[in-house]
Amino acid sequence: STEPTEEPTEEPTAEPTATPTSAPTPSPTVAPTATPVPTVPPEVAPPIILPTVASCPLAAEDGAPLATIVYPGAWFTVAEPPELACRYFDPESITVPDDPASLSTAIMVTTESTPYAEAVAAATDPAAWEVRQQVELVVDGLAATLVAAEAIDAPGVPAGVSRTAYLLDYGTAGTLTLATTGEADSELYAPHAAILTLMVGLSTFTPPEG
């Protein structure tokens, strides 16, 4: 196949037509395949499959329904007192201490009257957090933000501890947050973050009207 190229009459027609048509065309089509990589959350472990799930109703202080939280069937939650119900989730049995404010579990749900925009600003404050990931989402039609960060000088979270949180805009009712915290290099933090993501996807969120 190379012999004809040695003849003077063949060189001008064979080489110029083969080189431009084969080499340049494949390279532009390969490069764009790398774009999906940044969409993979760095704080979340590989997908976890929940064999069974359970659910509980989350209510406001006045009893108004806020959400139906779905969690791993093998995990535990708090059923009473009412103000703590469906707000704490852990693979180990949960004992409510004398001071409920000191209760800490693998995944926690909190509600606050702080407007959503202010809550997101606080969760991404560079003076308090080293933000590793911030993603704007829509959950059950509600504006939401995923924030994965490491505490610098954050209220209630020791410096160096990582936190993955989903903040949901509950309008006039404030902000609903589902979060997990832990040492980023621990064996539990990444799996708990992955389970948190599944819980957000499976749960139903219904902010009160008005």
Side-chain angles (χ1 to χ4, degrees), residues 97-111:
D98 293 336
D99 179 13
S102 65
L103 179 57
S104 178
T105 56
I107 292 175
M108 296 188 290
V109 180
T110 58
T111 54

Side-chain angles (χ1 to χ4, degrees), residues 75-125:
W75 280 34
F76 297 85
T77 188
V78 175
E80 55 183 17
E83 62 269 21
L84 303 182
C86 203
R87 293 173 182 264
Y88 299 89
F89 303 89
D90 202 276
E92 303 294 334
S93 180
I94 302 172
T95 300
V96 179
D98 293 336
D99 179 13
S102 65
L103 179 57
S104 178
T105 56
I107 292 175
M108 296 188 290
V109 180
T110 58
T111 54
E112 56 183 330
S113 59
T114 304
Y116 171 70
E118 293 182 18
V120 172
T124 56
D125 180 1

Side-chain angles (χ1 to χ4, degrees), residues 13 17 19 32-33 50 54 74 79 83 90-91 114 120 133 165 187 189 198 205 207:
T13 57
T17 56
T19 305
T33 58
L50 304 180
E83 62 269 21
D90 202 276
T114 304
V120 172
Q133 185 182 33
E187 295 182 356
Y189 178 68
L198 289 175
F205 302 93

Side-chain angles (χ1 to χ4, degrees), residues 28-165:
T29 59
V30 175
T33 58
T35 53
V37 176
T39 63
V40 179
E43 297 294 321
V44 178
I48 292 178
I49 298 175
L50 304 180
T52 59
V53 296
S55 65
C56 59
L58 175 67
E61 292 183 2
D62 61 1
L66 296 176
T68 298
I69 304 296
V70 176
Y71 60 96
W75 280 34
F76 297 85
T77 188
V78 175
E80 55 183 17
E83 62 269 21
L84 303 182
C86 203
R87 293 173 182 264
Y88 299 89
F89 303 89
D90 202 276
E92 303 294 334
S93 180
I94 302 172
T95 300
V96 179
D98 293 336
D99 179 13
S102 65
L103 179 57
S104 178
T105 56
I107 292 175
M108 296 188 290
V109 180
T110 58
T111 54
E112 56 183 330
S113 59
T114 304
Y116 171 70
E118 293 182 18
V120 172
T124 56
D125 180 1
W129 300 94
E130 180 183 344
V131 178
R132 295 172 176 168
Q133 185 182 33
Q134 180 177 351
V135 182
E136 305 302 321
L137 305 167
V138 176
V139 177
D140 284 350
L142 307 173
T145 301
L146 161 64
V147 179
E150 181 178 310
I152 299 173
D153 186 16
V157 181
V161 170
S162 293
R163 177 177 186 255
T164 297

